[in-house]
Amino acid sequence: MTSHLQHVDPEIFNAVQEETERQNARLELIASENFVSLAVLQAMGQVMTNKYAEGYPGRRYYGGCEFVDVAENLARERAKRLFKADHANVQPHSGSQANIAAYFSLIQYGDKVLGMNLSHGGHLTHGSPVNFSGRFFQMFHYGVGRDGYIDMNQVEDIALREKPRLIITGASAYARKIDYAAFRDIADRAGAKLIADIAHPAGLIAAELIPSPLPHCHLVTTTTHKTLRGPRGGMILIGKDQENDMGVLNPKGKLKTYSEIVDSNVFPGFQGGPLMHVIAAKAVAFQEALQPEFIDYQKQIIVNAQTLAKALMKRGYDIVSGGTDTHLMLVDLRNHGITGKVAEAALERAGLTVNKNMVPFDDQSPFITSGIRLGTPALTTRGMKGSEMEMIAGFIDQVLLNSADESIQMQVRRDVADLCSLFPLYNH
Ligand code: DSN
């Protein structure tokens, strides 16, 4: 396949080669990234990309869908088994697409919504003013307390005062378990529906290493490419499907089920043709996630994150909330006198890829920030364990203590390349 690409478009071929080399020779610490298996990679690069399949298996608007139906049915059934869900919609092209369809399944334009503050670990689609969520809905935000844990008293106060129609929980830079039962209790008392966005910890939840929101939420949204280690994409899950209590009727005048509402909001509500090659790759990733080894892999992700967090704290770094229960951590750099922006750039030069990130109560803008977010899914996929996490904490410390010293960054870059060469990617 790649020889065709080389011949037809050498510029793209070279960019792919260089990206492959970048992934191989650097340490990937972006908490939302991972490396898919060769089987998932192969399932994405195949002829199902040619097929239009608007609709759902058995009910398509195009002929010739019998084989893509096999792929989508497998993806749906495996997702349901993996998350103990009554229903899975595997068509959302991304986590944001999943969220917009989920919002409009439960509420209307202009309704009140309570979500986590982006600067405290929330996500753009949880009400940022520059995103559809902040533009289409009247947003209210909760955050973490000074201890770095979600302030459930604040959630309750705002919910009971403002009576939002929806609460969305979940985060993209929060390292602790979330008490979904407590969120549901507050949602019920406020008269709100509840969505959990598990884009980040989906793999840990599938492996049952942290609690699942499915028994407590009306809808659960996720991406498939972070801890879950599948292709880039989204999904909506329903723990217990039932007739809706919002008065939404089907054409026969009967109450629609939540799954019917979700399916019609994904297509035709917000999307057209599903990406059938990606759905095939989702099915492969879910099959991999149903194997016993996946649980060991997810356990190692958490152990690695905890080892890295401890090793950094030992060197004087301030980890928000004092550690992690999951795959990620937020490092508050204010006691080191450097910004997230400077840290990200210095680490990049040294071969460690991270992202700058706001920390709770940050006094810097989102373009500068006072912190970095680190995650271990990608390192763990490469086979790295505790001793490598100790080494990596040492690399980070060396670079951040000398963020203007390019010779140290070059030395660390060589050490990083040596370490990476012991854990090659896609080498068979
Ligand atoms: N961009 C993702 C992340 O890095 O967490 C969330 O969408």
Side-chain angles (χ1 to χ4, degrees), residues 142-213:
Y142 62 87
V144 298
R146 290 280 166 188
D147 60 1
Y149 284 77
I150 291 175
D151 181 347
M152 293 305 293
N153 291 327
Q154 189 189 32
V155 176
E156 181 174 21
D157 287 350
I158 301 175
L160 298 184
R161 187 180 69 234
E162 298 297 338
K163 297 276 188 330
R165 297 291 307 277
L166 173 70
I167 299 178
I168 181 159
T169 177
S172 54
Y174 183 68
R176 296 302 183 175
K177 292 175 194 154
I178 293 178
D179 187 346
Y180 300 110
F183 268 99
R184 178 59 188 259
D185 174 55
I186 293 170
D188 284 346
R189 285 188 285 128
K193 294 279 186 278
L194 182 64
I195 294 176
D197 176 346
I198 59 166
H200 266 267
L204 310 177
I205 290 168
E208 299 186 339
L209 300 177
I210 60 171
S212 169

Coordinates of all heavy atoms in Angstrom, one line a residue, residues 142-213:
Y142 N -19.0 24.2 37.6 CA -18.4 23.8 38.9 C -17.0 23.6 38.6 O -16.5 23.5 37.5 CB -19.1 22.6 39.5 CG -19.0 21.3 38.6 CD1 -17.9 20.5 38.8 CD2 -20.0 21.0 37.7 CE1 -17.8 19.3 38.0 CE2 -19.9 19.9 36.9 CZ -18.8 19.1 37.1 OH -18.7 17.9 36.3
G143 N -16.2 23.5 39.8 CA -14.8 23.2 39.6 C -14.3 22.3 40.8 O -15.1 21.6 41.4
V144 N -13.0 22.4 41.0 CA -12.4 21.6 42.1 C -12.2 22.6 43.2 O -12.1 23.8 43.1 CB -11.1 21.0 41.7 CG1 -11.3 20.0 40.5 CG2 -10.0 22.0 41.2
G145 N -12.0 22.0 44.4 CA -11.7 22.8 45.6 C -10.1 23.0 45.6 O -9.4 22.6 44.7
R146 N -9.7 23.7 46.7 CA -8.2 23.9 46.8 C -7.4 22.6 46.9 O -6.2 22.5 46.6 CB -7.9 24.8 48.0 CG -8.4 26.2 47.8 CD -7.4 27.0 47.0 NE -8.0 28.3 46.5 CZ -7.5 29.1 45.6 NH1 -6.3 28.8 45.1 NH2 -8.1 30.2 45.3
D147 N -8.1 21.5 47.3 CA -7.5 20.2 47.4 C -7.4 19.5 46.0 O -6.8 18.4 45.9 CB -8.2 19.3 48.4 CG -9.7 19.0 48.0 OD1 -10.1 19.6 46.9 OD2 -10.4 18.3 48.7
G148 N -7.9 20.1 45.0 CA -7.8 19.5 43.7 C -8.9 18.5 43.4 O -9.0 18.0 42.2
Y149 N -9.8 18.2 44.3 CA -10.9 17.3 44.1 C -12.2 18.0 43.7 O -12.4 19.2 44.2 CB -11.2 16.4 45.3 CG -10.2 15.3 45.6 CD1 -8.9 15.6 46.1 CD2 -10.5 14.0 45.3 CE1 -8.0 14.6 46.4 CE2 -9.5 13.0 45.5 CZ -8.3 13.3 46.1 OH -7.4 12.3 46.3
I150 N -13.1 17.4 42.9 CA -14.3 18.1 42.5 C -15.1 18.5 43.8 O -15.2 17.7 44.7 CB -15.2 17.2 41.7 CG1 -14.5 17.0 40.3 CG2 -16.6 17.7 41.5 CD1 -15.3 15.9 39.4
D151 N -15.5 19.8 43.8 CA -16.2 20.3 44.9 C -17.7 20.0 44.8 O -18.5 20.7 44.1 CB -16.0 21.8 45.0 CG -16.7 22.5 46.1 OD1 -17.5 21.8 46.8 OD2 -16.4 23.7 46.4
M152 N -18.1 18.8 45.4 CA -19.5 18.4 45.2 C -20.5 19.3 45.9 O -21.6 19.3 45.5 CB -19.6 16.9 45.8 CG -18.9 15.9 45.0 SD -19.2 15.8 43.2 CE -20.9 15.3 43.2
N153 N -20.0 20.0 46.9 CA -20.9 21.0 47.6 C -21.3 22.1 46.6 O -22.4 22.6 46.5 CB -20.3 21.6 48.8 CG -20.2 20.6 49.9 OD1 -21.0 19.7 50.0 ND2 -19.1 20.7 50.7
Q154 N -20.3 22.5 45.8 CA -20.5 23.5 44.8 C -21.4 23.0 43.7 O -22.4 23.7 43.2 CB -19.2 24.0 44.2 CG -19.3 25.2 43.3 CD -18.0 25.5 42.5 OE1 -17.3 24.6 42.2 NE2 -17.8 26.7 42.2
V155 N -21.2 21.7 43.3 CA -22.1 21.1 42.3 C -23.5 21.2 42.8 O -24.5 21.6 42.1 CB -21.7 19.7 42.0 CG1 -22.7 19.0 41.0 CG2 -20.3 19.6 41.5
E156 N -23.7 20.8 44.0 CA -25.1 20.7 44.6 C -25.7 22.1 44.7 O -26.8 22.4 44.3 CB -25.0 20.1 46.0 CG -26.4 19.9 46.6 CD -26.3 19.2 47.9 OE1 -25.2 19.1 48.5 OE2 -27.3 18.7 48.3
D157 N -24.9 23.1 45.2 CA -25.4 24.5 45.4 C -25.9 25.0 44.0 O -27.0 25.6 43.9 CB -24.3 25.4 45.9 CG -24.0 25.1 47.4 OD1 -24.8 24.3 48.0 OD2 -23.0 25.6 47.9
I158 N -25.0 24.9 43.0 CA -25.4 25.5 41.7 C -26.6 24.8 41.1 O -27.5 25.4 40.6 CB -24.2 25.5 40.7 CG1 -23.0 26.3 41.3 CG2 -24.6 26.1 39.4 CD1 -21.7 26.2 40.5
A159 N -26.6 23.4 41.2 CA -27.7 22.7 40.6 C -29.0 23.0 41.3 O -30.0 23.2 40.6 CB -27.4 21.2 40.8
L160 N -29.0 23.1 42.6 CA -30.3 23.3 43.3 C -30.8 24.8 43.1 O -31.9 25.1 43.0 CB -30.2 23.0 44.8 CG -29.9 21.5 45.0 CD1 -29.9 21.2 46.5 CD2 -30.9 20.6 44.3
R161 N -29.8 25.7 42.9 CA -30.1 27.1 42.7 C -30.6 27.4 41.3 O -31.6 28.0 41.1 CB -28.9 28.0 43.0 CG -29.2 29.5 43.0 CD -28.0 30.3 43.3 NE -27.0 30.2 42.3 CZ -25.7 29.9 42.5 NH1 -25.3 29.6 43.6 NH2 -24.9 29.9 41.4
E162 N -29.8 26.8 40.3 CA -30.1 27.2 38.9 C -31.1 26.2 38.2 O -31.6 26.5 37.2 CB -28.8 27.2 38.1 CG -27.8 28.3 38.6 CD -28.4 29.7 38.4 OE1 -29.3 29.9 37.6 OE2 -27.9 30.6 39.2
K163 N -31.2 25.0 38.8 CA -32.1 24.0 38.2 C -31.8 23.8 36.7 O -32.7 24.0 35.8 CB -33.6 24.4 38.4 CG -34.1 24.5 39.8 CD -34.4 23.1 40.3 CE -35.1 22.9 41.6 NZ -34.9 23.7 42.7
P164 N -30.6 23.4 36.4 CA -30.3 23.1 35.0 C -31.1 22.0 34.5 O -31.5 21.1 35.2 CB -28.8 22.8 35.0 CG -28.5 22.2 36.4 CD -29.5 23.0 37.3
R165 N -31.3 21.9 33.1 CA -32.0 20.8 32.6 C -31.1 19.6 32.4 O -31.5 18.5 32.2 CB -32.6 21.1 31.2 CG -33.6 22.2 31.2 CD -34.9 21.8 31.8 NE -35.4 20.5 31.2 CZ -36.1 20.5 30.1 NH1 -36.4 21.6 29.5 NH2 -36.6 19.3 29.7
L166 N -29.7 19.9 32.4 CA -28.7 18.8 32.2 C -27.5 19.1 33.0 O -27.1 20.3 33.1 CB -28.3 18.8 30.7 CG -27.2 17.9 30.3 CD1 -27.6 16.4 30.4 CD2 -26.7 18.2 28.9
I167 N -26.9 18.0 33.6 CA -25.6 18.1 34.2 C -24.7 17.2 33.4 O -25.1 16.1 33.0 CB -25.6 17.7 35.7 CG1 -26.5 18.6 36.5 CG2 -24.2 17.7 36.2 CD1 -26.6 18.2 38.0
I168 N -23.5 17.8 33.0 CA -22.5 16.9 32.3 C -21.3 16.8 33.2 O -20.8 17.8 33.6 CB -22.2 17.4 30.9 CG1 -21.2 16.4 30.2 CG2 -21.7 18.8 30.8 CD1 -21.1 16.5 28.7
T169 N -21.0 15.5 33.5 CA -19.8 15.3 34.3 C -18.7 14.6 33.4 O -19.0 14.2 32.3 CB -20.1 14.4 35.5 OG1 -18.9 14.1 36.2 CG2 -20.8 13.1 35.2
G170 N -17.5 14.5 33.9 CA -16.4 14.0 33.1 C -15.5 15.1 32.8 O -15.9 16.3 33.0
A171 N -14.3 14.8 32.4 CA -13.2 15.9 32.3 C -12.1 15.4 31.4 O -12.1 14.3 31.0 CB -12.6 16.1 33.7
S172 N -11.3 16.4 31.0 CA -10.1 16.0 30.2 C -8.8 16.2 30.9 O -7.7 15.9 30.4 CB -10.1 16.7 28.9 OG -10.2 18.1 29.0
A173 N -8.9 16.8 32.1 CA -7.6 17.0 32.9 C -7.9 16.9 34.4 O -7.7 17.8 35.2 CB -7.0 18.3 32.6
Y174 N -8.6 15.7 34.7 CA -8.9 15.5 36.1 C -8.4 14.1 36.5 O -8.8 13.1 35.7 CB -10.4 15.6 36.4 CG -10.8 15.4 37.8 CD1 -10.5 16.4 38.8 CD2 -11.6 14.3 38.2 CE1 -10.9 16.2 40.1 CE2 -12.0 14.2 39.5 CZ -11.6 15.1 40.5 OH -12.0 15.0 41.8
A175 N -7.6 13.9 37.5 CA -6.9 12.7 37.7 C -7.6 11.7 38.7 O -7.1 10.7 39.0 CB -5.5 13.0 38.2
R176 N -8.7 12.2 39.3 CA -9.4 11.4 40.3 C -10.6 10.7 39.8 O -11.2 11.0 38.8 CB -9.7 12.3 41.5 CG -8.4 12.9 42.2 CD -7.5 11.8 42.6 NE -6.3 12.3 43.3 CZ -5.4 11.5 43.9 NH1 -5.5 10.2 43.8 NH2 -4.4 12.0 44.5
K177 N -11.1 9.7 40.6 CA -12.3 9.0 40.3 C -13.5 10.0 40.5 O -13.4 10.9 41.3 CB -12.6 7.8 41.3 CG -11.6 6.7 41.1 CD -11.8 5.7 42.2 CE -10.6 4.7 42.3 NZ -10.4 4.1 43.6
I178 N -14.5 9.8 39.7 CA -15.7 10.6 39.9 C -16.8 9.9 40.5 O -17.1 8.7 40.2 CB -16.1 11.2 38.5 CG1 -15.0 12.1 37.9 CG2 -17.5 11.9 38.5 CD1 -15.2 12.7 36.6
D179 N -17.5 10.5 41.4 CA -18.6 9.9 42.2 C -19.9 10.1 41.4 O -20.7 11.0 41.6 CB -18.7 10.5 43.6 CG -19.8 9.7 44.4 OD1 -20.6 8.9 43.9 OD2 -19.8 9.9 45.6
Y180 N -20.2 9.2 40.4 CA -21.3 9.3 39.5 C -22.6 9.2 40.2 O -23.6 9.8 39.9 CB -21.2 8.3 38.4 CG -20.0 8.4 37.5 CD1 -19.0 7.5 37.5 CD2 -19.8 9.5 36.7 CE1 -17.8 7.6 36.8 CE2 -18.7 9.7 35.9 CZ -17.7 8.7 35.9 OH -16.6 8.8 35.2
A181 N -22.7 8.4 41.3 CA -23.9 8.2 42.0 C -24.3 9.5 42.7 O -25.5 9.9 42.7 CB -23.7 7.1 43.1
A182 N -23.3 10.2 43.2 CA -23.6 11.5 43.9 C -24.0 12.5 42.9 O -25.0 13.3 43.1 CB -22.3 12.0 44.6
F183 N -23.5 12.5 41.6 CA -23.9 13.4 40.6 C -25.4 13.1 40.2 O -26.2 14.0 40.0 CB -23.1 13.2 39.3 CG -21.9 14.2 39.3 CD1 -20.6 13.9 39.7 CD2 -22.1 15.5 38.9 CE1 -19.6 14.8 39.6 CE2 -21.1 16.5 38.8 CZ -19.8 16.1 39.2
R184 N -25.7 11.8 40.2 CA -27.1 11.4 39.8 C -28.1 11.9 40.9 O -29.2 12.4 40.6 CB -27.2 9.9 39.6 CG -28.6 9.4 39.2 CD -29.1 10.1 38.0 NE -30.5 9.9 37.7 CZ -31.0 9.0 36.8 NH1 -30.1 8.3 36.1 NH2 -32.3 8.8 36.6
D185 N -27.7 11.7 42.1 CA -28.5 12.2 43.2 C -28.8 13.7 43.1 O -30.0 14.1 43.2 CB -27.9 11.8 44.6 CG -28.6 12.4 45.7 OD1 -29.8 12.0 45.8 OD2 -28.1 13.1 46.5
I186 N -27.8 14.4 42.8 CA -28.0 15.9 42.7 C -28.8 16.2 41.5 O -29.7 17.0 41.5 CB -26.6 16.6 42.6 CG1 -25.8 16.4 43.9 CG2 -26.7 18.0 42.2 CD1 -24.4 16.9 43.9
A187 N -28.5 15.5 40.4 CA -29.3 15.7 39.1 C -30.8 15.4 39.4 O -31.7 16.3 39.0 CB -28.8 14.8 38.0
D188 N -31.1 14.3 40.1 CA -32.5 14.0 40.3 C -33.2 15.1 41.2 O -34.3 15.5 40.9 CB -32.6 12.7 41.1 CG -32.4 11.5 40.1 OD1 -32.5 11.7 38.9 OD2 -32.2 10.4 40.6
R189 N -32.4 15.6 42.2 CA -33.0 16.6 43.1 C -33.2 17.9 42.3 O -34.1 18.7 42.7 CB -32.2 16.8 44.3 CG -32.4 15.6 45.3 CD -31.8 15.8 46.6 NE -30.4 15.6 46.6 CZ -29.5 16.5 47.0 NH1 -29.8 17.6 47.6 NH2 -28.2 16.2 46.9
A190 N -32.3 18.2 41.3 CA -32.4 19.4 40.6 C -33.4 19.3 39.4 O -33.7 20.3 38.7 CB -31.1 19.8 40.1
G191 N -33.9 18.1 39.1 CA -34.7 17.9 38.0 C -33.9 17.9 36.7 O -34.4 18.3 35.6
A192 N -32.6 17.5 36.7 CA -31.8 17.5 35.5 C -31.5 16.1 35.0 O -31.6 15.1 35.8 CB -30.4 18.2 35.9
K193 N -31.2 16.0 33.7 CA -30.7 14.8 33.2 C -29.2 14.7 33.4 O -28.6 15.8 33.7 CB -31.0 14.7 31.7 CG -32.5 14.6 31.4 CD -33.0 13.2 31.5 CE -34.4 13.0 31.1 NZ -35.4 13.4 32.2
L194 N -28.6 13.5 33.3 CA -27.1 13.4 33.6 C -26.4 12.7 32.4 O -26.8 11.6 32.0 CB -26.9 12.6 34.9 CG -25.5 12.5 35.3 CD1 -24.8 13.8 35.7 CD2 -25.4 11.5 36.6
I195 N -25.4 13.4 31.9 CA -24.5 12.7 31.0 C -23.1 12.6 31.6 O -22.6 13.6 32.3 CB -24.3 13.6 29.7 CG1 -25.6 13.7 28.9 CG2 -23.2 13.1 28.8 CD1 -25.6 14.7 27.7
A196 N -22.4 11.5 31.4 CA -21.0 11.4 31.8 C -20.2 11.3 30.5 O -20.5 10.5 29.6 CB -20.7 10.2 32.6
D197 N -19.2 12.1 30.4 CA -18.3 12.1 29.2 C -17.0 11.3 29.7 O -16.2 11.9 30.5 CB -18.0 13.5 28.8 CG -17.0 13.5 27.6 OD1 -16.3 12.5 27.4 OD2 -16.8 14.6 27.0
I198 N -16.8 10.1 29.2 CA -15.7 9.3 29.7 C -14.6 9.2 28.7 O -13.9 8.2 28.6 CB -16.2 7.9 30.2 CG1 -16.9 7.1 29.1 CG2 -17.1 8.0 31.4 CD1 -17.0 5.6 29.4
A199 N -14.5 10.2 27.8 CA -13.5 10.1 26.7 C -12.2 9.7 27.2 O -11.5 8.9 26.6 CB -13.5 11.5 26.0
H200 N -11.7 10.3 28.4 CA -10.4 10.0 28.9 C -10.3 8.6 29.5 O -9.5 7.8 29.1 CB -9.9 11.1 29.8 CG -9.1 12.1 29.1 ND1 -7.7 12.0 29.0 CD2 -9.4 13.1 28.4 CE1 -7.2 13.0 28.3 NE2 -8.3 13.7 27.9
P201 N -11.1 8.3 30.5 CA -10.9 7.0 31.3 C -11.7 5.8 30.7 O -11.8 4.8 31.4 CB -11.4 7.4 32.7 CG -12.5 8.3 32.4 CD -12.1 9.1 31.2
A202 N -12.2 5.9 29.5 CA -13.0 4.8 29.0 C -12.4 3.4 29.1 O -13.0 2.4 29.5 CB -13.4 5.1 27.5
G203 N -11.1 3.3 28.8 CA -10.4 2.0 28.9 C -10.3 1.5 30.3 O -10.5 0.3 30.6
L204 N -10.1 2.4 31.3 CA -10.0 2.1 32.7 C -11.4 1.6 33.2 O -11.5 0.7 34.0 CB -9.5 3.2 33.5 CG -8.3 4.0 33.1 CD1 -8.0 5.2 34.0 CD2 -7.1 3.1 33.1
I205 N -12.4 2.2 32.7 CA -13.8 1.9 33.0 C -14.2 0.5 32.4 O -14.7 -0.4 33.1 CB -14.8 3.0 32.6 CG1 -14.6 4.2 33.5 CG2 -16.2 2.5 32.7 CD1 -15.3 5.5 33.1
A206 N -13.8 0.3 31.2 CA -14.1 -1.0 30.5 C -13.4 -2.1 31.3 O -14.0 -3.2 31.4 CB -13.6 -0.9 29.1
A207 N -12.2 -1.8 31.8 CA -11.5 -2.9 32.5 C -11.9 -3.0 34.0 O -11.4 -3.8 34.8 CB -10.0 -2.6 32.5
E208 N -12.9 -2.2 34.3 CA -13.5 -2.1 35.7 C -12.5 -1.8 36.8 O -12.5 -2.4 37.9 CB -14.2 -3.5 36.0 CG -15.4 -3.7 35.0 CD -16.2 -5.0 35.3 OE1 -15.7 -5.8 36.1 OE2 -17.3 -5.0 34.9
L209 N -11.6 -0.9 36.5 CA -10.5 -0.5 37.4 C -11.0 0.8 38.2 O -10.4 1.1 39.2 CB -9.2 -0.3 36.8 CG -8.7 -1.6 36.0 CD1 -7.3 -1.2 35.3 CD2 -8.4 -2.7 37.0
I210 N -11.9 1.5 37.6 CA -12.5 2.6 38.3 C -14.0 2.5 38.0 O -14.4 1.8 37.1 CB -11.9 4.0 37.8 CG1 -12.1 4.2 36.3 CG2 -10.5 4.2 38.2 CD1 -11.8 5.6 35.8
P211 N -14.8 3.2 38.8 CA -16.3 2.9 38.7 C -16.8 3.4 37.4 O -16.4 4.4 36.8 CB -16.8 3.8 39.8 CG -15.7 4.0 40.8 CD -14.5 4.0 40.0
S212 N -17.9 2.7 37.0 CA -18.6 3.0 35.7 C -19.7 3.9 35.9 O -20.5 3.8 36.9 CB -19.1 1.7 35.1 OG -20.0 2.0 34.0
P213 N -19.9 4.9 35.1 CA -21.1 5.8 35.2 C -22.3 5.2 34.6 O -23.4 5.8 34.8 CB -20.6 7.0 34.4 CG -19.7 6.5 33.3 CD -19.0 5.3 33.9

